Amino acid sequence: MTRRAVVGAAIVDDLRRPTRLLAAQRAEPSSLAGGWELPGGKVEPGEGPIDALHREVQEELDVRVRLGDQVPGPLTAAGAAWPLGASYAMQVWWAEIIDGTPEFGPEHQAIRWLTPDELYDVAWLTDDLPIVQRLEAAFRCT
Ligand code: 9L3
Ligand code: MG
C-alpha cells in the first residue's frame, strides 16, 4: 500500500536554540476540527516535498521559512516519515520564519506559540502527538 505524501513544519522561534513551537488548530474537516497540528499538507503530484512545505506554510500562515533538519519518523520506507492514519505519511522539517508574521487562514481556527512547558496544553491530533514528543526531546536538549 502506498501512503500519500504529506509534509509538516515544526516552526520554532530560533532553529539554533528553539524556545517556542508554533501549533495550529484545524478548522476542517469536521473529524479533525479543533485538533492541533504542525502546519502543512499534501504534496501535489509532481511536486517535491521541500517545495510543498514552502508552499503550504505560505498558503496556511502567510510566512516564508528557512528549513532546518528533517525530523526523522518511523516509516523508513517513506523517507523517514511519520504515519498519519493508514493513508498518509508525513515528512517533517524544523523551520524558522524568515519573512512575515504567522496568521491563520481558513484551514485553521487558531495558532499558538508554545513554550516547552506548554507543549501538551493543546489537544494535538493523535498522529501529531508522537512527533511533538520527538520535538520535545530536542527542546529539552538546548
Ligand atoms: N495531517 C495531520 N497532521 C498534520 C498535517 C499537516 C496533516 N500535521 C493530516 C490531515 C489530513 C491529511 O493529513 O488527513 C492532509 O492534510 P491537509 O492537506 O488537510 O492539511
Ligand atoms: Mg494543511
Side-chain angles (χ1 to χ4, degrees):
M1 193 204 69
T2 308
R3 292 171 179 268
R4 175 124 194 235
V6 172
V7 287
I11 301 176
V12 292
D13 54 338
D14 183 345
L15 278 173
R16 290 195 189 170
R17 199 186 309 166
T19 70
R20 297 274 191 290
L21 174 69
L22 190 70
Q25 187 179 33
R26 288 191 70 106
E28 36 97 56
S30 55
S31 58
L32 301 177
W36 291 76
E37 67 170 9
L38 302 175
K42 298 182 199 76
V43 178
E44 289 178 354
E47 189 181 39
I50 300 273
D51 287 344
L53 192 51
H54 285 291
R55 176 183 52 73
E56 285 287 343
V57 297
Q58 179 74 247
E59 287 176 3
E60 294 191 344
L61 301 166
D62 199 18
V63 293
R64 290 199 308 126
V65 291
R66 170 189 300 128
L67 298 185
D69 292 340
Q70 191 173 355
V71 182
L75 287 180
T76 50
W82 297 82
L84 302 177
S87 314
Y88 297 99
M90 181 164 72
Q91 286 180 269
V92 177
W93 279 267
W94 292 98
E96 69 183 0
I97 293 170
I98 54 170
D99 188 30
T101 302
E103 289 183 46
F104 62 89
E107 295 97 336
H108 294 113
Q109 49 187 291
I111 53 174
R112 249 184 94 170
W113 286 104
L114 303 171
T115 66
D117 289 337
E118 294 169 341
L119 277 185
Y120 303 104
D121 287 1
V122 300
W124 290 102
L125 295 179
T126 309
D127 292 325
D128 282 52
L129 188 56
I131 309 171
V132 173
Q133 288 165 342
R134 170 66 180 72
L135 298 174
E136 180 188 17
F139 270 104
R140 299 282 177 207
C141 289
T142 59

